[in-house]
Amino acid sequence: MTKLNILQYSNMQNLHIRPELKLSILENNQSYLELEKKFLSKYSFNFLNTFSFDKAGFLELLLQLNKKGKIAISVGETQSLIEAAKEFENLGLKLSWINLQKDGNINKADISTEFDFIFISSYVMDTFVKTNLKEIKKLTNAKIISNASANYDISSDAIYFDSYKLTGFFMGGVILFDEELFEEKTIGFTNSIAVDFIYEALEKQSFDGSSKELFEKSLKEVLKDDIYFFVDNKQTLPYSLHFALKGIKARELIRTLALDDIHITNGEGCSLGLSKPSRIIQAMAYDETTSRNSISFSFDKAYTQDEVEKIVQKLAKKYRQIKVLNEGN
């Protein structure tokens, strides 16, 4: 299997539920408490909560913060958070949006000193364009709450993790924080399985960006005028590559390459060839049709020159076949 969608779907194998992590007020929970202590120590935070990594779970977090101050959210965040924010507004509550520029970077002009909390990560979903949170801190005194599933920035005041992207299973998320930022849950309402699996995934997590330039060079040489770029890949996470192919929907290529055990992605929820275009590309002011051209690679190992050329040639062959079929319809 050639897994070039590692940042969207890690898909851990052989996960095992440990009976000793079972939570009960009538039993000794020492094994879980030790796990929680290791998790907090790894990232130097004091508190840990689990929450449902979906619209309802993020809405609960937003409602808690709303009691304490003004909230802003980057449109480059995970889809579940964006859906929660829209539901938050539907309830008649106010928050601010931080937009993306045409080049994929955060629009810093949208950041205000009036914000108390900002949901903004060290990378943008789908494109993996990096955001320097240290620079964001210079523009505001707000607490920074970020997704650390693909990259952790020490400038974050709270971090959360996506079990689906880290393990391939939906079990809920984990959020780490200080200063009683959120309402701490009792142990009986903690998803110990999610904590265990996410911690294990993070311990095993590895990336390798050594093949990024090889892939980009080979793609340009083989695809020539059929390839273009929404973002500057020098500004993306070092183990990610983002590009676009003219004249086809990415999901068509995703599906056909999967038959050859080559796995790529168009963005969140699109690695399986689903019909949704990249929301992030649309947030960068591209139309829906154009946003369907976008493709992301991400790497967890090094590839040889020969391996890169074979993968790119296979991709190019499938791409041209699909393009010809589309033109004939």
Side-chain angles (χ1 to χ4, degrees), residues 11-23:
N11 192 23
M12 285 183 64
Q13 303 297 319
N14 303 317
L15 293 174
H16 174 67
I17 296 177
R18 294 194 283 153
E20 64 269 25
L21 293 180
K22 180 180 178 182
L23 302 178

Side-chain angles (χ1 to χ4, degrees), residues 44-57:
S44 301
F45 284 93
N46 292 314
F47 302 103
L48 180 153
N49 276 356
T50 55
F51 68 105
S52 180
F53 203 97
D54 56 15
K55 180 170 70 173

Side-chain angles (χ1 to χ4, degrees), residues 84-126:
K86 291 179 179 178
E87 184 64 25
F88 185 87
E89 291 183 315
N90 288 339
L91 293 173
L93 303 171
K94 292 184 178 180
L95 55 75
S96 298
W97 293 96
I98 299 170
N99 295 300
L100 297 177
Q101 299 180 138
K102 189 78 171 181
D103 62 2
N105 284 291
I106 294 294
N107 185 1
K108 294 180 180 178
D110 289 338
I111 298 175
S112 169
T113 56
E114 296 182 358
F115 299 155
D116 298 293
F117 309 102
I118 300 179
F119 283 83
I120 186 169
S121 302
S122 60
Y123 57 95
V124 174
M125 298 297 112
D126 292 8

Side-chain angles (χ1 to χ4, degrees), residues 260-275:
D260 289 295
D261 259 354
I262 299 173
H263 299 276
I264 63 175
T265 182
N266 174 244
E268 280 196 297
C270 303
S271 197
L272 299 178
L274 302 179
S275 60

Side-chain angles (χ1 to χ4, degrees), residues 193-215:
I193 297 174
V195 177
D196 190 29
F197 285 178
I198 290 174
Y199 181 78
E200 181 182 349
L202 291 167
E203 286 290 279
K204 294 180 177 179
Q205 189 179 61
S206 64
F207 302 116
D208 190 318
S210 60
S211 305
K212 177 175 180 174
E213 291 184 6
L214 282 177
F215 270 102

Side-chain angles (χ1 to χ4, degrees), residues 220-323:
K220 288 178 178 177
E221 289 175 349
V222 173
L223 291 160
K224 298 181 172 40
D225 292 338
D226 286 320
I227 190 172
Y228 67 103
F229 300 88
F230 291 111
V231 299
D232 181 352
N233 280 292
K234 291 184 175 62
Q235 296 184 354
T236 65
L237 293 177
Y239 32 86
S240 70
L241 177 66
H242 194 275
F243 60 97
L245 295 176
K246 297 177 182 177
I248 72 165
K249 296 175 181 177
R251 74 170 184 268
E252 297 171 316
L253 188 61
I254 291 168
R255 288 169 175 168
T256 189
L257 285 176
L259 297 175
D260 289 295
D261 259 354
I262 299 173
H263 299 276
I264 63 175
T265 182
N266 174 244
E268 280 196 297
C270 303
S271 197
L272 299 178
L274 302 179
S275 60
K276 291 183 178 180
S278 171
R279 174 183 58 83
I280 298 299
I281 301 301
Q282 292 180 81
M284 291 162 55
Y286 290 94
D287 61 46
E288 180 179 323
T289 300
T290 305
S291 71
R292 293 183 184 275
N293 299 159
S294 70
I295 294 170
S296 287
F297 283 1
S298 49
F299 315 104
D300 64 345
K301 68 174 187 177
Y303 291 84
T304 65
Q305 179 76 46
D306 186 55
E307 288 173 325
V308 170
E309 291 176 358
K310 286 181 178 178
I311 293 168
V312 171
Q313 287 292 344
K314 175 73 74 171
L315 181 150
K317 180 181 178 180
K318 298 292 187 181
Y319 163 70
R320 287 168 182 146
Q321 289 174 340
I322 294 169
K323 195 174 180 183

